[in-house]
Amino acid sequence: NAGVTQTPKFQVLKTGQSMTLQCAQDMNHNSMYWYRQDPGMGLRLIYYSASEGTTDKGEVPNGYNVSRLNKREFSLRLESAAPSQTSVYFCASSLRPIEAFFGQGTRLTVV
Amino acid sequence: ELKVEQNPLFLSMQEGKNYTIYCNYSTTSDRLYWYRQDPGKSLESLFVLLSNGAVKQEGRLMASLDTKARLSTLHITAAVHDLSATYFCAVDITGNQFYFGTGTSLTVIP
């Protein structure tokens, strides 16, 4: 049972490049999330998806887009990366009211 | 705007001592979660608190929830080095959004 799987684990981008972070869960959870973690700021919600076919903005959605491809997969896209998007990105999934389960994270650096 | 505040942000304590981490939140919720994160790692679930007065214990950690005061506590008893980590509380507002506190970085000194 893999849980929540994120790819890639590490990525370096140049300013203006685009990329997609992939996330898949095998726990049959309805809800999926994308967070970013920056030093001293905890985790901030970027986007979430309450169910297949729906997505909603979180606290810090600017500069990002998401796709809930199916129940298992939720991707995060950076169309034009900026240095301010250097962060660690976590994908998570949950089935209310249980807790959210997190992937291993993607460490992204934008130079 | 929802605020989830933890204090202290940094905690250095000696092995064998007791201490409490506090998590205050600014809106109504009866669901609160505690997570642990080791450096460079993902988040690991510790406790799920789903009602007012809920208390959960696992080893040297005990968590409680007071929804009327909008306060949760994580109590550490007789700390050991292995408990060194960052601890986060998270509040579930709508069932689809987990809002996290800024974390408490705990260092247990031998």
Side-chain angles (χ1 to χ4, degrees), chain A residues 31 33 35 37 40-43 45 48 50 59 90 94 96-100 102-104 107, chain B residues 31 33 35 37 40-43 45 48 50 88 92-102:
Chain A
S31 299
Y33 315 84
Y35 289 90
Q37 184 176 30
M41 301 191 74
L43 281 83
L45 182 63
Y48 67 97
E59 302 169 85
F90 286 100
S94 74
R96 196 181 192 215
I98 65 173
E99 68 269 44
F102 284 79
Q104 290 305 301
R107 191 170 298 272
Chain B
R31 302 176 190 278
Y33 306 82
Y35 287 85
Q37 186 180 37
K41 302 295 185 180
S42 185
L43 282 81
S45 176
V48 179
L50 298 179
F88 292 95
D92 175 6
I93 301 301
T94 66
N96 293 305
Q97 299 182 58
F98 292 80
Y99 286 90
F100 282 78
T102 51

Side-chain angles (χ1 to χ4, degrees), chain B:
Chain B
E1 177 188 343
L2 170 65
K3 290 185 178 180
V4 183
E5 297 180 332
Q6 288 182 237
N7 69 81
L9 298 182
F10 299 94
L11 175 57
S12 179
M13 57 190 298
Q14 287 187 316
E15 279 190 335
K17 298 294 186 181
N18 304 332
Y19 208 83
T20 299
I21 298 170
Y22 297 88
C23 174
N24 291 88
Y25 53 98
S26 62
T27 192
T28 302
S29 175
D30 59 359
R31 302 176 190 278
L32 190 132
Y33 306 82
W34 283 97
Y35 287 85
R36 167 181 172 145
Q37 186 180 37
D38 293 304
K41 302 295 185 180
S42 185
L43 282 81
E44 171 190 357
S45 176
L46 292 174
F47 298 110
V48 179
L49 304 170
L50 298 179
S51 62
N52 185 42
V55 177
K56 295 279 185 74
Q57 182 165 4
E58 180 72 33
R60 301 175 187 273
L61 300 177
M62 183 173 70
S64 65
L65 178 61
D66 181 344
T67 59
K68 295 179 181 177
R70 299 179 183 173
L71 171 68
S72 180
T73 62
L74 180 66
H75 186 73
I76 303 157
T77 301
V80 293
H81 180 68
D82 285 352
L83 291 179
S84 296
T86 299
Y87 294 86
F88 292 95
C89 63
V91 175
D92 175 6
I93 301 301
T94 66
N96 293 305
Q97 299 182 58
F98 292 80
Y99 286 90
F100 282 78
T102 51
T104 295
S105 177
L106 171 65
T107 302
V108 180
I109 303 167

Side-chain angles (χ1 to χ4, degrees), chain A residues 2-16:
Chain A
V4 180
T5 303
Q6 290 181 234
T7 55
K9 290 186 170 51
F10 301 93
Q11 184 71 49
V12 179
L13 288 179
K14 293 183 179 179
T15 297

Side-chain angles (χ1 to χ4, degrees), chain A residues 24-97:
Chain A
Q25 53 94 7
D26 61 3
M27 296 175 282
N28 202 35
H29 287 170
N30 292 327
S31 299
M32 297 186 73
Y33 315 84
W34 277 105
Y35 289 90
R36 61 178 287 172
Q37 184 176 30
D38 302 294
M41 301 191 74
L43 281 83
R44 292 182 292 169
L45 182 63
I46 304 172
Y47 272 93
Y48 67 97
S49 171
S51 61
E52 183 180 353
T54 68
T55 61
D56 285 286
K57 296 178 180 179
E59 302 169 85
V60 289
N62 291 344
Y64 305 95
N65 286 301
V66 292
S67 296
R68 183 75 182 266
L69 304 171
N70 48 55
K71 192 171 187 179
R72 291 187 64 249
E73 299 173 288
F74 188 39
S75 63
L76 178 72
R77 183 161 178 82
L78 287 70
E79 291 291 350
S80 179
S84 61
Q85 294 179 304
T86 293
S87 188
V88 180
Y89 292 85
F90 286 100
C91 176
S93 70
S94 74
L95 181 64
R96 196 181 192 215

